Amino acid sequence: LGVTLSDPDAALLESLRKSVESMGRQYVRWGISQASYLHILPSRMPIGRVLPLPVPFVTAVEDVWEDYFSAGGQAEDAFADSSLLVVGEDYWLDYENEDFGSPEGHLVRRGRDWCHVVRSVKVDYTAGLTSGQLDGDYFFVKDALIAEIVERYKFAKTRQGASGDVGPVESERLKDYAVKYTSNTTRATDRSARQLPASSLLPETVLRLNPIMSFYDWW
């Protein structure tokens, strides 16, 4: 921003950061940053030999259990050690490059279909974009969110104006100084006609985030 922030402005910026990051995660429908997950799948049946994981960019699968009688993990002794599968023998993670992992996050059952019962498979795995990826090939994600945070901050500061309750400057004249403030203060929360209703992000932010959007549970 090129400014020295006062404590109130720093608090405002931090609040906007949390808000924009949350909206970004809600829009793309997953957490973006790498983390560990424990999911009981699938949410619907049948699934065949390929089990999609809810979070993309899977880098490691620690354990997989398959229990026909698990009742979604609520039955007594659900997902016992006897239901633990062996990687390479019972299933494998579909990827082209071991170092990069599986962007789609597909677990393939070997020699048979996955259990057709809803919530009969438990998966412990690591997925999401690493800090290195967010500073590298996927820097556009971080850059898009930072740009939105900065715009919302400047919008909030401009809206304060001289009286603390005016809109952004619409026109300004230097000789015999005059300034006109717009009454339209929707810029930082406006949506284009093509945006999903769930998003309050700026249209350009949405366009930049679209490449990493997850469609896991849309079909």
Side-chain angles (χ1 to χ4, degrees):
L1 289 172
V3 296
T4 300
L5 296 173
S6 64
D7 289 344
D9 284 351
L12 170 63
L13 196 60
E14 176 66 7
S15 176
L16 291 171
R17 180 191 68 79
K18 292 179 179 179
S19 176
V20 170
E21 287 185 359
S22 176
M23 287 189 291
R25 291 186 171 100
Q26 290 293 323
Y27 178 73
V28 300
R29 302 173 69 83
W30 60 288
I32 300 179
S33 302
Q34 188 180 77
S36 296
Y37 297 90
L38 187 63
H39 286 140
I40 300 178
L41 308 165
S43 58
R44 59 182 64 88
M45 59 183 187
I47 56 174
R49 293 185 61 194
V50 178
L51 176 66
L53 297 177
V55 183
F57 297 93
V58 178
T59 53
V61 176
E62 280 72 29
D63 289 302
V64 179
W65 298 261
E66 187 178 48
D67 187 348
Y68 183 94
F69 301 102
S70 71
Q74 299 169 46
E76 185 177 356
D77 201 28
F79 300 116
D81 290 345
S82 58
S83 66
L84 186 65
L85 302 182
V86 179
V87 62
E89 294 183 14
D90 300 313
Y91 71 93
W92 46 280
L93 177 65
D94 184 27
Y95 55 73
E96 293 183 4
N97 186 309
E98 184 176 3
D99 295 331
F100 190 71
S102 174
E104 296 80 12
H106 288 169
L107 281 185
V108 183
R109 193 70 163 92
R110 186 175 180 182
R112 50 161 289 181
D113 289 349
W114 289 102
C115 180
H116 66 277
V117 177
V118 172
R119 308 298 184 191
S120 60
V121 180
K122 185 168 73 169
V123 185
D124 182 6
Y125 65 107
T126 302
L129 295 171
T130 66
S131 58
Q133 289 173 316
L134 287 170
D135 283 333
D137 291 344
Y138 291 88
F139 179 74
F140 67 88
V141 176
K142 183 186 292 187
D143 191 50
L145 296 180
I146 290 174
E148 171 124 0
I149 293 166
V150 170
E151 173 149 350
R152 285 176 179 267
Y153 173 78
K154 290 182 176 179
F155 177 90
K157 294 301 295 178
T158 304
R159 191 171 188 270
Q160 292 175 4
S163 67
D165 190 23
V166 294
V169 174
E170 186 174 83
S171 64
E172 193 170 15
R173 188 174 67 247
L174 295 179
K175 189 176 181 180
D176 296 325
Y177 181 79
V179 61
K180 178 182 178 182
Y181 292 96
T182 180
S183 59
N184 177 11
T185 58
T186 63
R187 166 64 181 127
T189 56
D190 208 5
R191 287 200 306 264
S192 70
R194 295 184 179 182
Q195 275 187 265
L196 294 177
S199 173
S200 295
L201 296 168
L202 293 171
E204 56 266 37
T205 305
V206 166
L207 288 175
R208 297 177 72 183
L209 292 180
N210 278 342
I212 66 163
M213 192 168 191
S214 172
F215 296 95
Y216 164 76
D217 58 354
W218 279 35
W219 317 111

